[in-house]
Amino acid sequence: MRYIRPLSIEDAVGELARAVGPAAILAGGSDLLVRMKGGFIEPELIVDIKAINGLSDIQETADGFRIGAAVPCAVLGENKALRKAWPGVVEAAKLIGSKQVQGRCTIVGNLCNASPAADSVPALVAAGAKAVIAGPSGKRTIAVESVPTGPGRTSLAKGEIVEAILLDKRAPNSGDAYQRFIPRTEMDIAVVSAGVNLTLDEHGVIKAARVALGAAAPTVLLVAEAAQVLVGSKLDEATLERLAKVCSGACRPIDDKRGTIEFRRKVAGVLAKRVAATAYERAGGK
Amino acid sequence: MAGVAVSTTINGDHVEYLCQPDETLLEVLRDRLGLTGAKEGCGTGDCGACSVIVDNRLVCSCLVLGAEAEGRQIETIEGMAHGDQLHPLQQKFLEHAALQCGICTPGFLIAAKDLLAKNPSPTEEEIRFGLAGNLCRCTGYDKIVRAVQDAANVMKGA
Ligand SMILES: Cc1cc2nc3c(=O)[nH]c(=O)nc-3n(C[C@H](O)[C@H](O)[C@H](O)COP(=O)(O)OP(=O)(O)OC[C@H]3O[C@@H](n4cnc5c(N)ncnc54)[C@H](O)[C@@H]3O)c2cc1C
Ligand code: FES
Ligand code: FES
């Protein structure tokens, strides 16, 4: 096995593209090292991306935010401007693991590990975040929901690295939120989760919405029908009930030791209501 | 496998070592450098017994590669006391009997040190959440929380 720490994205892409055996990208290592130790993967090459120029900072640009792929979640939580603009994304990232894990884990690692229960992903999908990908044939920018394709699988080609996550500049009267259900209060994997992002008009009527569910299907679900239910409303009781119904119906969950299909469906609806209410409040509604 | 040459700083001392590319920082500390304060409880990031501070961030050394330590500043439990002078947290853990078997203690002390450096007056809830990445199967946590509260008071007065 070889460990390298390239200084440029071009070198990192080149090394990955040339690799003959299995190769792995190392960000915070909180999934990768656990899988290596468990013997689930045996990479011949490890490309540590943390020394690559430009990957370790959060930039506020004219278009919004650019979060480098090597920025640990603890740093996201310390960024006031990001917390103010995208509180739902930040609260989701802050739920990952313990203080110890927070010091290392990244939202890009969370996305590329492609667990259906990844906490930051529903929030990123609801936020309409994009992933900037560098590869052997240049750069491309895609919606984050196009990265995971199934449990543990992504659409990334050999040699491709997610370089950054882009979040739009916030429109006025906008707010987002994320919650998960876990049987404990800390350090657990989401049984089911929901992220909601709303923009209101000046009268508090929802004019744009995105609703995403986690751990409810093989990949995060973007529930377009749920957004349609919300748009045009002021989040009255009847709208919330319809939202819950649509979200429960959209789930395609599995039965496992952490929850049954029936339980996950029910809780998806309950969480969607609660999260929508928080997002609405953050957007200045009521 | 070719070894990786690493040059780093541990508890203020310049340290150089050779390690395998898949060796964890915890293995390097314990097996190559004889710094056995950090413990392996799980090896998967769940128990916090291996906690160390790298460039001012609390991390599990079982989930860091030894090779990643290049050029970093690492603080371990071995650097906490100054000679015979215990750190206030160490003193308060003793006074409050915040340990029984002691295997979790180095991790708790490092995590508590990091917590108080960032938040000198934590509430009980903040202490419990802040230390949620550290597991203890003996004490029931209450004495640990009391010891951290007491140490925080002493350190603020100092
Ligand atoms: C104790 C513990 C608790 C945890 N709790 C949670 C939790 O509550 N919620 C949750 O969602 N997850 C949790 N996790 C899982 C993990 O911490 C997260 O998924 C984390 O966000 C992974 O980020 P990382 O930077 O550590 O990824 P890494 O382990 O470095 O990488 C993860 C995967 O993504 C790939 N990758 C990384 N960066 C890139 C990139 N830039 N481009 C392309 N591919 C890339 C890697 O090759 C690897 O396959 C926990 C893990 C541990 C050990
Ligand atoms: S040994 Fe590292 S967290 Fe348990
Ligand atoms: S004192 Fe035994 S595990 Fe904490």
Side-chain angles (χ1 to χ4, degrees), chain A residues 1-3 5 26-30 33-34 36-37 46 48 50 74-75 78 98-101 103-104 185-187, chain B residues 1 21-22 24 43-46 48 51 57-60 62-65 67-68 70 72 111 129-130 132-134:
Chain A
M1 194 184 110
R2 211 155 54 89
Y3 165 90
R5 188 171 34 223
L26 171 66
S30 59
L33 297 196
V34 173
M36 276 168 57
K37 284 205 213 169
I46 290 192
D48 184 348
K50 292 189 290 296
V75 173
E78 290 160 10
S98 55
K99 276 262 156 56
Q100 285 87 336
V101 173
R104 296 268 293 168
T185 54
E186 265 284 81
M187 294 286 285
Chain B
M1 280 193 276
D22 60 353
T24 65
T44 51
D46 294 290
S51 297
R57 293 274 169 208
L58 181 69
V59 301
C60 294
C62 72
L63 293 186
V64 177
L65 293 176
E68 290 182 74
E70 174 70 32
R72 306 296 194 106
F129 269 98
N134 294 78

Side-chain angles (χ1 to χ4, degrees), chain B residues 109-127:
Chain B
L109 286 169
I110 287 288
K113 184 180 169 212
D114 179 72
L115 175 76
L116 295 185
K118 283 162 189 155
N119 179 2
S121 315
T123 61
E124 173 171 349
E125 192 178 336
E126 284 168 339
I127 295 174

Side-chain angles (χ1 to χ4, degrees), chain B residues 2 5 8 30 33-34 39 53 55 60 72-74 79 85 95 99 103 116-117 124 128:
Chain B
T8 187
R30 292 182 57 83
L33 305 176
K39 308 295 182 209
I53 294 171
D55 286 352
C60 294
R72 306 296 194 106
Q73 298 277 343
I74 298 170
Q85 181 76 42
E95 287 172 20
L99 63 148
I103 192 146
L116 295 185
E124 173 171 349
R128 288 188 186 272

Side-chain angles (χ1 to χ4, degrees), chain A residues 87-100:
Chain A
V89 170
V90 174
E91 77 189 337
K94 293 292 292 173
L95 280 175
I96 299 172
S98 55
K99 276 262 156 56
Q100 285 87 336

